[in-house]
Amino acid sequence: MEIDGQCHCGRVTYRAEIDPAKVSICHCTDCQNLTGSPYRVTVICSEEQVRMTGAPAKIYAKTGDNGRTRFQHFCEGCGSPLFTSGDGGPDDWGIRWGSISQRDRLRPARQIWCRSAATWINDIRDLPGRPGD
């Protein structure tokens, strides 16, 4: 599937060819810290599948709970998280779901680091919404 995306301010843009079956949710504490949210949704791919079309992203390196170094790619202007990458190899890149224009067509197929998941994560479906939302 051909996708495109950008950061919040539009400075960093990209196009990619992805497999929609490789969308996953990560509940690890690093993803929780980086998003300020209970989990992060990412489309797993390889670097070769991504083509940058705008300004380059800034990169931050962090060693995760599993001992592997991951590189967080983000816009230095607005701070939007865009990609994650590692030491290389197939399926070592991830595109952050929130930056993808076609995200409404991408549904997670798996979840990882579930032992770090918020204890209430399965209960949100029953929360009341505001009228009209």
Side-chain angles (χ1 to χ4, degrees):
M1 173 181 176
E2 177 79 20
I3 62 167
D4 63 88
Q6 68 179 35
C7 63
H8 191 256
C9 72
R11 182 176 181 274
V12 181
T13 59
Y14 64 88
R15 299 187 74 73
E17 184 66 35
I18 58 104
D19 179 349
K22 291 188 174 186
V23 179
S24 64
I25 293 173
C26 182
H27 296 279
C28 80
T29 56
D30 280 340
C31 283
Q32 291 170 359
N33 287 130
L34 285 164
T35 63
S37 183
Y39 57 85
R40 182 189 305 259
V41 182
T42 301
V43 179
I44 306 302
C45 63
S46 67
E47 182 177 9
E48 293 77 31
Q49 292 171 269
V50 181
R51 188 175 78 252
M52 301 303 295
T53 57
K58 183 98 173 150
I59 299 173
Y60 164 74
K62 169 78 166 62
T63 301
D65 292 340
N66 63 3
R68 290 180 47 202
T69 298
R70 298 297 296 168
F71 300 97
Q72 306 300 323
H73 304 240
F74 61 95
C75 174
E76 67 180 323
C78 66
S80 297
L82 298 161
F83 312 103
T84 184
S85 65
D87 298 329
D91 294 343
D92 198 34
W93 264 60
I95 304 171
R96 302 309 190 189
W97 183 88
S99 72
I100 300 170
S101 299
Q102 299 80 10
R103 63 184 169 264
D104 62 332
R105 296 174 26 207
L106 298 172
R107 181 183 176 95
R110 71 179 190 138
Q111 53 185 332
I112 59 173
W113 287 91
C114 296
R115 67 177 169 257
S116 304
T119 57
W120 48 261
I121 200 73
N122 293 320
D123 302 330
I124 62 174
R125 171 165 271 179
D126 298 328
L127 293 176
R130 293 185 336 182
D133 284 352

